[in-house]
Amino acid sequence: MNLAAVALAAALAAQPAAAEPPRISLVFGADALNAQAEDIRSVRRVDEGATGSALVIRLAGSFDRQMAALTRAHVGETGQLLICGEVVVEPLLNSPIVDAMFVISDTDIARIDRLQALLTGPSCGDAPES
């Protein structure tokens, strides 16, 4: 190996790993609310049998003001709710939301399982594949 190749390898090894995406995000165009795992206060699962399941996600109270400002500015628009950088749903916002809380429901139990693992796991990369 030549000296330039060794220097390049050392420089690449010294670079920090790519930052993990926000654990959960609500995005409207260039405006977003982003929260990391430590910002999630609770993830509660509600199973409804044959009609599916839901996840009720509550962020820290400090996000309530951000949620209200973001949603007030984008009433009537369609946004994206992302978990670990993956679009989960594209909601149409009918009115402002004052609490930093999300509800995701689906009849696909495996999908709910995977989303729950993404939200509660140690990192986004540790969730099972669908």
Side-chain angles (χ1 to χ4, degrees):
M1 213 184 234
N2 67 29
L3 186 56
V6 170
L8 178 60
L12 290 174
Q15 291 182 1
E20 183 163 289
R23 195 58 64 104
I24 190 165
S25 301
L26 179 60
V27 179
F28 291 93
D31 298 332
L33 177 149
N34 295 305
Q36 297 300 335
E38 61 270 14
D39 302 319
I40 298 172
R41 288 296 161 251
S42 64
V43 177
R44 185 171 50 92
R45 184 180 179 131
V46 178
D47 291 309
E48 295 294 330
T51 60
S53 294
L55 297 174
V56 180
I57 304 140
R58 178 67 167 118
L59 299 183
S62 59
F63 282 84
D64 290 347
R65 182 171 281 153
Q66 281 181 268
M67 176 70 92
L70 174 68
T71 59
R72 193 175 308 113
H74 294 282
V75 171
E77 297 178 27
T78 299
Q80 293 183 323
L81 180 64
L82 296 91
I83 296 177
C84 292
E86 173 185 325
V87 176
V88 175
V89 67
E90 294 185 335
L92 172 63
L93 187 62
N94 293 317
S95 61
I97 302 169
V98 296
D99 295 320
M101 181 179 285
F102 307 95
V103 178
I104 302 167
S105 61
D106 203 321
T107 57
D108 182 347
I109 301 303
R111 181 170 185 257
I112 292 293
D113 291 343
R114 182 171 178 284
L115 294 175
Q116 185 174 15
L118 284 170
L119 288 165
T120 60
S123 72
C124 287
D126 292 335
E129 292 299 315
S130 358

